[in-house]
Amino acid sequence: MTAQEAWPAVVAGEDAAVFAYSVAGARVATSELRAARAGLDAHRANRDRAASLATQAGGTLPTPAAAYELPFPVRTPGRARELLALVDNRLVALYAEAAEAAAGPDRRWAARRAAECATRAVSWGAAPQAFPTG
Amino acid sequence: MPAPARPVRLTRRQALAGVATLGPVALLAACSSGDTPDEPVPSSPEQTVASAQAAAEQRLIDGYEATIAAHPGLAATLTPLRDQHMAHADALGGSPGAGTATVAPSQGAAIAALVTAERQAARDRIGACVEAREPGLARLLAFIAASEASHVPALRSLGA
């Protein structure tokens, strides 16, 4: 995958993560609201940086969907945590692809975001994985 | 390598499709072995990077083994993490070998030592990822860094 393809894929993944955090972030337990808000802020910032890298690479920015089909209803704090863990874990592979396609500081940024997403997923209750995927 | 499905629709099916991106292992194997797999492959800078990282994985495995032996009550949590480091070492082309490691007598201190080791490991894997010339190795190291960073909250849940 080229950087021209990899960065827009990250942007699409981050758009989905922002949506998921907007929906599920409000449904976590009160004690976890702050962490959910921090995750939303991180995904928004990462989405913007990835969009900038996508444009630099000559890629086409994906259009964010107005709404996304959720894999399951998010009506309880437990399900909210499950969704947040899923979207974070799914981003790991996208950032790993971007790390493969990029070089230098951009590759470092992608690898750090992969680590950040996998860490957040486990913090939301996902089991650690040898090669984290959603 | 299969391109991961874009997570525009967060369906279960697409989530499962993500599992297909586990290809780094096979990809690296394909990249690091020559056309004649029976003959020794000349050492390349890439293999040096991979070997050094595989050796670091073995030291983590040793640390987990020693901690599990000293604090058997932690085995349920630590054994899967150790197994993931074994998968990392394997993906990096490391050959199994057992070393020794010292462990703090206090359970909390032993867990804290693993947290420190995992954080350092993730940093080192990211550094090696940036240095890697073979893109497939960079991808693999990004996955491994992610796994190791994610071990920290798992260890913290033990009360370190």
Side-chain angles (χ1 to χ4, degrees), chain A residues 59-78:
Chain A
T60 305
L61 288 184
T63 308
Y68 294 75
E69 179 189 334
L70 299 180
F72 44 78
V74 179
R75 297 196 188 102
T76 63

Side-chain angles (χ1 to χ4, degrees), chain B residues 58-95:
Chain B
Q58 185 58 51
R59 289 193 292 278
L60 284 165
I61 294 164
D62 295 339
Y64 273 91
E65 296 276 9
T67 307
I68 291 166
H71 303 286
L74 301 174
T77 301
L78 298 190
T79 303
L81 304 183
R82 178 208 61 188
D83 291 350
Q84 290 174 20
H85 289 296
M86 293 169 81
H88 299 160
D90 192 44
L92 289 163
S95 43

Side-chain angles (χ1 to χ4, degrees), chain B residues 27-71:
Chain B
L27 180 73
L28 184 71
C31 293
S32 60
S33 61
D35 292 328
T36 52
D38 292 335
E39 293 179 16
V41 181
S43 182
S44 70
E46 287 305 277
Q47 285 175 316
T48 308
V49 170
S51 302
Q53 299 304 311
E57 290 293 336
Q58 185 58 51
R59 289 193 292 278
L60 284 165
I61 294 164
D62 295 339
Y64 273 91
E65 296 276 9
T67 307
I68 291 166
H71 303 286

